[in-house]
Structure formats: structure tokens, C-alpha cells
Amino acid sequence: MISEGIITKIGNGDGKEYCHEGTEYIDVSEGFVTPGLIDTHCFFTGHYVNSYGEDLGSCSSTNEVMNKISKTSEEKVYVGRNLSTHLFELLIKEGMPDVIPVVIFDKDNERFIVNRLAEEKYGIVSGNCNLEMYWRLIEDILTDRERLIHGIQQHNRLLSSRGVTSVKEVIFDDSYGFLDTLKLLVEDDALNLRVRVVSQPVGHELDLELGRVLQKTLTHENLKFAGYNMMVDGSMSQNEADLKEKYLGTDFHSIHVPDYKGISELVDQVDSNGFRIAFHAQGDRAIAKTIDILYKMKKDSVGKLVNKHTMTDLEFGDVEDFSRMEHLGIIGEIYPQIQSIYDNQVEKIEMITRAVGKDISKIWNRRGLSDSGTVITCATDLPLLFPSLPESLYHACGGRFRDQETCFQKENTLNRLELIKAWTVGGAKNLFEPDENLGLLETGYNADIVIYDQNLLDVPMSRIREVKVIKTLFKGKTVYSI
């Protein structure tokens, strides 16, 4: 039973004796109910920027592309997307006019072509790209306030349709105006989402004064500052994950060895000022070295870190390091849907074995993380992935790659209840304080609730991705329903 956004009673039976005039009665006897999902690593700006610009997928010639550019000569910048590989290669050879800055992405958003004006304005060159590289372009894109508001509201509806009621939102630097817009929506009660913000330094050095300002100005219960985000190493597929053993057939642990001394100095400043950091670490040496750094930070009387630091991704880790995480109280943020991005299980396994050899027991070892007692939470790195509890169960509990029924390293998977708890109570332990009463279906807790059309504990794994969210409640109010 829910009243004024709070769970006021839980019991057996149909509960109809508590109904009165104006009561909404919801029967989900054939379904499944969970607390609202908590995604502990989202990047709205990445999602928004990846969809910003004109869709060039239907263009059949470079002349057609040029005509579209010429029609927008009054804009600050022309951004085109989804250009076919054939036309993309032709444009590289032919070049583009310098009427306004032009940036055109390929169909995978992994490469772009830029003209001279864009090179000068944004400090970028044609070739492979990532979001961190073109932060100056992002800054320009976010100045369109009306379009940004529409994008945030669409994003909120998407998350509600997937049962997400709380997120940790990663911003670049000071957010380039995004937070100002988000703050207005939250204060106007126009957003059905609890947001905890972390800043990732990209265009500027890590700014402690920014943290102090955001801590003082973001005071709404649905919008608060939660610290900083820091990249430690990169992907194993690019030889950028920092490994304890050298990559097979090479003389390096990573082609870009992290500056652990510099990271340690920054973390000391952040920690001593009372802020927290989320570390993005993939390789086993990166994980171990980051834990070494955190051992030097402030601890309480029982040896736990005073500030609630977290580690994200944890793709390739040692069980002994997971135990050290638990000892310090470091929270683990896993990507339970990560296997969904791989079309071919064999190719992914071959990539791992080319890097580390036949022993791949440390890859995605969520079982070891859980058995160590470490608090586990779920993340998507949206827009890399889009949150879905049924898909998470398929991949992180079933051990499946995309559309493949064979289980990969069953010994490393979680059980269904463990994963559901990671998406809910684990996320609450990560982002919120105990008195905020989130992450559980208990009397006195906030009524952030998700209703599914089937029992997630009983549905065969082969069909679990068919389970749908049929209703999402935020503070007891229905914000999504089918």
C-alpha cells in the first residue's frame, strides 16, 4: 500500500480491505515487482550528442551531402550522421567547403570527417573519434536550450520505460550548461528521476572548486553532486587495459600505462576535501594499483574508507583484489549487459586469449566479486548500453552472448536474485544515504517501483528477454504504463 509516495503497508492477501474511494488498485498476480532500478553509470550527454545532427543515411551521392550542408550556412556548425561507408570514403578524398564548421560521422559514430573551420574551432582532425576528443563540439551542441530540454525529457521517458528511477550521471568538466537545464527541470518537477552527478575532467583539469560549488547549488533531493569520475585504463581489445602480465608476444602491460603517481596525487586531493571518485578500471593491474592508491585514503575506526569510492567496469580482475575492495568498502559497478554488444562469441574469446593466453577465468568474474562480499551495483555506460533487467539476467546470470544459447564461464555468473539486488539495493547503497530509504520494498521506503509482466525468477533463460516492464512508479506516481 502506497500513500503520498511512500510504502505504508506490506502484507498477504488481496489488500482490498484497504481500498477506499480514489484508491488505484493494481493486480500483478501473474507478474513480478521490484524496487526502481538504479543505473550507476550513465552519460546522457553522450546519448544526446550521438543522436544530434542530420541523418545522412539516405544520401546517395556526395553532391546530396553538400546540398544539405549549404542549406544550413546560418548555423554555428553542421553535424551530419549515419553516412554510408562508401560516401564517407569519397568525402575524405573530395573534402568539404569551409562556409561553416562541418563535422560528419560515419554510420557507427567511430570516425568523423571535419573541414578546416571545424579543425580550428574544435581542435579536432578527421579520423577515429570518441566523445572525450570533441568536447568543444559538445559544448556548442548543448547551447540549444529548447532542443536540450526536449532531449532530456525524451531520455527520462526512455529510462522510465525500462524501470530506471535513479542514475549516476557523468558530466564532462562543468557540463557545458547541461546542469543548468537539468536543474530547471528538476525544480519545476518536470523530471521523474533521481540524479547524482559526477564530473569527469576532459577539457580542463580536475576542479575541486567546481565540486564545492556543485555541492552547494545542487541541493534538490532529486539532483545532487556525487564527486568525480576518472579513467584509469582502457579496453583490452585496444591493448589499453593495464594487465599484471604482459600482453602475449609483446613487451608491454598496456600501450598507454596509466600515470599512477599522478592519479594518486589527484585522489589524495579529492579525498582530503571530502569528495568521492568513481574509477573506470578494466585490467587486473589497473584494478590492483587503484586499490593500492585507495589504501592511503582516509579510513574510519574499522578500516573502511570514509568517502564512498567506487570502481567501474572491472572486466578482468583477481579475486584477491576483490577481497581487498571489500576490506576497504570500495563498491563495484559492473556492466551486466556487456556481452550483448558482441555479435560473435568466438571472436571475443579469441581476442581475450590473444591478449592473455588460454586462462581467461578472470574475465567478467562477477561470482568472485560477489563471494568476496563486495557491494555490487549495475551500470550501462549509456549510451554504450541501454538498461534492461531482463537482458541483464540473460547475460550476467545466463552467461549468454547476443542471441547465443551457450553459457560462457557459468562459474563466473551471478544468480538472478543477486543481480536484481545489485540493480536495486546495491545501487541505493552506492548513490544514496540510508535515511533516503531507496532500493527496497519495505514500509517507510520511497515508492519507486517497477512491475514486470512475468516472474523474473521463473521464466526460462531462453525467454527471459521477452519479459516487459508494464508499469513504473516514481514516488508512487505512475510515470510509465502499457
Side-chain angles (χ1 to χ4, degrees), residues 150 183-184 436:
H150 179 67
K183 187 177 178 181
L184 289 174
E436 292 182 270

Side-chain angles (χ1 to χ4, degrees), residues 71-129:
K71 292 177 182 177
T72 56
S73 58
E74 301 300 317
E75 302 290 332
K76 285 186 178 180
V77 57
Y78 176 84
V79 178
R81 295 208 172 265
N82 197 31
L83 189 63
S84 70
T85 302
H86 172 66
L87 293 183
F88 189 88
E89 300 298 339
L90 283 178
L91 274 185
I92 291 175
K93 295 176 181 177
E94 296 175 8
M96 292 183 295
D98 285 320
V99 179
I100 60 170
V102 177
V103 182
I104 295 180
F105 293 83
D106 70 0
K107 58 185 180 64
D108 298 316
N109 279 330
E110 293 180 352
R111 295 187 297 164
F112 57 23
I113 311 167
V114 302
N115 66 356
R116 181 183 57 81
L117 291 178
E119 286 182 5
E120 294 173 355
K121 186 173 184 181
Y122 304 120
I124 53 180
V125 295
S126 299
N128 295 334
C129 63

Side-chain angles (χ1 to χ4, degrees), residues 159 165-170 178-179 182 186 191-198 218 220-226 431-432 474:
L159 292 176
T165 55
S166 302
V167 298
K168 181 177 74 181
E169 181 68 36
V170 182
F178 163 61
L179 278 183
L182 190 64
V186 169
L191 205 65
N192 302 308
L193 192 65
R194 304 175 196 273
V195 183
R196 296 298 180 262
V197 176
V198 294
L218 302 182
H220 194 284
E221 62 173 322
N222 294 342
L223 182 60
K224 293 184 180 180
F225 181 64
L431 298 187
F432 302 100
F474 178 71

